[in-house]
Amino acid sequence: MSDFSLPADPAGRREKLAVLFTEAVPHNHALALRLEEVGASDATVVMPYADVLVGNPETGVVAGGAVTTLIDAASGTAVMAALDAFAAIVTLDLRIDYLRPARPGLPLTARAECYKVTRLVAFVRALVHQGDPAMPVASSQGTFMRVED
């Protein structure tokens, strides 16, 4: 993909980010992460439940590393949505509070919002749930840096 500019119209922006989401980040594809929704500065990403993601076979609870990857993917996509044009970004800091174990067998949904963008750093907050945002599995705060050439 040679044109990394993001269209101004919401439908075109969502389509372009969905392509970048899967093509540019192979582990998103490996975890079957699906970009559900993209707004002007937010993104919703779903991770389906899979046995290979379980951290403890006795409980069936998804491993924290998979939840971290879901949050990072949703947060990075929210940053991309908030930027005027495509830019390479890296995660500077990602603080995650695990609030309760995820229920086995259910997908996890992360909704991230990029609430502030400076010249080089973007600030994001995210929440992970399994169908009810009022019953979060995890919450996070993160910072992402735009990489300049």
Side-chain angles (χ1 to χ4, degrees):
M1 176 176 274
S2 59
D3 177 22
F4 288 115
S5 62
L6 294 176
D9 70 288
R13 186 180 205 82
R14 282 190 297 275
E15 183 180 334
K16 189 73 165 251
L17 283 171
V19 170
L20 290 172
F21 185 81
T22 54
E23 286 184 7
V25 188
H27 65 266
N28 289 353
H29 180 72
L31 292 176
L33 299 185
R34 184 177 68 251
L35 183 58
E36 280 286 300
E37 187 177 344
V38 177
S41 60
D42 59 88
T44 302
V45 176
V46 175
M47 181 174 65
Y49 183 85
D51 290 337
V52 297
L53 301 178
V54 170
N56 181 347
E58 291 181 19
T59 64
V61 173
V62 172
V67 176
T68 298
T69 301
L70 171 64
I71 290 170
D72 190 53
S75 296
T77 304
V79 170
M80 293 301 301
L83 297 176
D84 296 333
F86 176 82
I89 59 170
V90 295
T91 307
L92 286 179
D93 182 54
L94 190 60
R95 175 188 157 65
I96 300 172
D97 292 315
Y98 291 94
L99 306 172
R100 65 177 183 82
R103 294 175 306 215
L106 298 174
L108 289 159
T109 300
R111 183 182 181 287
E113 173 197 13
C114 180
Y115 61 91
K116 173 78 175 168
V117 177
T118 67
R119 187 175 73 77
L120 292 177
V121 180
F123 300 84
V124 183
R125 56 183 152 240
L127 195 67
V128 176
H129 63 84
Q130 291 184 291
D132 182 0
M135 296 287 296
V137 171
S139 66
S140 72
Q141 286 282 135
T143 53
F144 291 74
M145 185 175 76
R146 186 184 327 207
V147 179
E148 294 188 329
D149 293 329

